[in-house]
Structure formats: structure tokens, C-alpha cells
């Protein structure tokens, strides 16, 4: 059994959103968060918008459209907070959490699709309640729930460094 055929808009959705993954991974590894104003951050935004917006014409389940909408809210909210986040720690924390949520919302269906479609003819998962799929989704949720507080802690420490250096001088 081969992989089910993908429509042209489905192909655009898949190939358009996949580049967001390495951009997100690079920024998370390098900076500990998505940096909206960076070249990688702008590329992430573009690919995420393409991926989220192309869900609507191809979605078969209402949950898919709900995920796309939530992704757009998290993404646009995070990028929209760029001006508020400048010099205001609280908004920077909200921005960071929002953009991390957008990564989670990218990876959740990506992981599901990979496990349900590959390898061609013998996918790893054939049922949405398969323990492998549920475990992968749980691991992504755990990464979000552990990662965001760590990101916030890092931002708090960064905000304290300039204040601490002023006290030392």
C-alpha cells in the first residue's frame, strides 16, 4: 500500500510548512527561543503562515481547522507582541510562550502525519489511539510544559544581568 496521494494544495501545505521546523529548532538551540526580528524568525513566520493558512482548504476534520486557528493566534500574537516586548519583561515572556506554543502546534500534527504515513505501505501507526502516537504527542506536550518555564527563567536571568552589573560598578 502506497502513501495516499496528496493534492497540489496538500503538497504546498506540506512542503511550505516543513522549513519552519529547522528554523524553529535552530533558534531554540541557539537562542533558547524564537527570535521574531531575526532572519530565521522572519523565515519561520513566513513558512508557518503558509502552513497554517493552507490547512483550511485541505482539512477534513474540524480539529484541523481549530489547530490552524490556534496556531495563527499563537504565531501572530507572538509576532505582534514584538513592539510591546521591547524593554518590557512581562510581554517578552508572553511572546516567548506564545511562539513556543506555535512550535508545539506545528510539531503535533507533523509527528502524527509522519507516523501515520511512513514508511509507505506500512506506517508506524494506523490508529489515532496507538501508544506510539500518544507517547510522541505526550513527549511534545511535556517538552512544551517543561520548556516554557525554562525559557522564562532564562529571560528573567538575562533581565537581571544588566541590573546586577550596575550594582557591581
Amino acid at each position: 500500500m502506497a502513501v495516499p496521494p496528496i493534492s497540489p494544495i496538500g503538497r504546498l501545505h506540506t512542503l511550505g510548512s516543513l522549513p519552519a521546523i529547522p528554523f524553529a529548532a535552530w533558534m531554540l538551540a541557539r537562542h533558547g527561543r524564537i527570535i521574531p526580528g531575526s532572519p530565521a524568525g522572519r523565515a519561520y513566520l513566513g513558512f508557518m503562515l503558509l502552513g497554517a493558512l493552507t490547512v483550511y482548504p485541505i482539512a477534513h476534520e474540524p480539529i484541523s481547522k481549530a489547530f490552524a486557528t490556534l496556531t495563527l493566534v499563537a504565531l501572530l500574537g507572538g509576532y505582534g507582541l514584538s513592539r510591546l516586548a521591547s524593554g518590557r519583561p512581562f510581554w517578552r515572556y508572553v511572546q516567548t510562550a506564545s511562539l513556543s506554543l506555535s512550535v508545539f502546534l506545528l510539531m503535533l500534527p507533523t509527528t502524527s502525519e509522519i507516523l501515520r504515513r511512513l514508511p509507505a505501505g506500512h506506517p508506524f501507526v494506523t490508529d489515532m489511539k496507538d501508544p506510539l502516537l500518544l507517547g510522541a504527542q505526550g513527549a511534545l506536550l511535556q517538552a512544551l510544559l517543561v520548556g516554557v518555564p525554562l525559557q522564562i527563567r532564562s529571560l528573567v536571568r538575562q533581565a537581571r544581568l544588566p541590573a546586577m552589573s550596575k550594582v557591581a560598578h
Side-chain angles (χ1 to χ4, degrees), residues 158-168:
Q158 289 172 17
R160 286 184 186 158
L161 286 177
M164 298 294 272
S165 65
K166 287 179 187 176
V167 172

Side-chain angles (χ1 to χ4, degrees), residues 63-96:
I63 190 73
S64 299
K65 291 180 181 180
F67 263 86
T69 301
L70 187 55
T71 300
L72 287 169
V73 168
L75 185 67
L76 295 175
Y79 277 82
L81 287 171
S82 290
R83 289 198 174 135
L84 284 176
S86 178
R88 297 184 182 125
F90 174 77
W91 291 114
R92 194 168 184 206
Y93 307 148
V94 174
Q95 175 191 55
T96 297

Side-chain angles (χ1 to χ4, degrees), residues 1-168:
M1 181 174 154
V3 174
I6 298 176
S7 68
I9 190 80
R11 202 174 342 268
L12 175 65
H13 165 75
T14 301
L15 297 176
S17 58
L18 280 178
I21 296 170
F23 283 113
W26 184 81
M27 285 184 286
L28 289 169
R30 169 113 181 167
H31 305 288
R33 65 189 197 94
I34 303 296
I35 307 293
S38 69
R42 288 189 292 275
Y44 175 75
L45 173 63
F47 289 119
M48 284 294 288
L49 284 173
L50 179 59
L53 291 172
T54 54
V55 167
Y56 294 99
I58 64 172
H60 298 293
E61 302 292 327
I63 190 73
S64 299
K65 291 180 181 180
F67 263 86
T69 301
L70 187 55
T71 300
L72 287 169
V73 168
L75 185 67
L76 295 175
Y79 277 82
L81 287 171
S82 290
R83 289 198 174 135
L84 284 176
S86 178
R88 297 184 182 125
F90 174 77
W91 291 114
R92 194 168 184 206
Y93 307 148
V94 174
Q95 175 191 55
T96 297
S98 181
L99 293 175
S100 292
L101 177 61
S102 77
V103 174
F104 170 76
L105 293 170
L106 165 67
M107 294 310 301
L108 205 58
T110 299
T111 301
S112 176
E113 286 298 307
I114 288 170
L115 292 175
R116 290 177 45 229
R117 291 182 177 265
L118 299 175
H122 300 287
F124 293 111
V125 170
T126 57
D127 182 346
M128 291 300 286
K129 294 182 182 183
D130 187 287
L132 177 62
L133 178 59
L134 294 176
Q137 292 170 336
L140 289 170
L141 179 59
Q142 188 173 22
L144 178 70
L145 295 176
V146 170
V148 169
L150 290 175
Q151 289 174 308
I152 301 303
R153 187 175 84 182
S154 175
L155 289 172
V156 167
R157 286 182 176 169
Q158 289 172 17
R160 286 184 186 158
L161 286 177
M164 298 294 272
S165 65
K166 287 179 187 176
V167 172

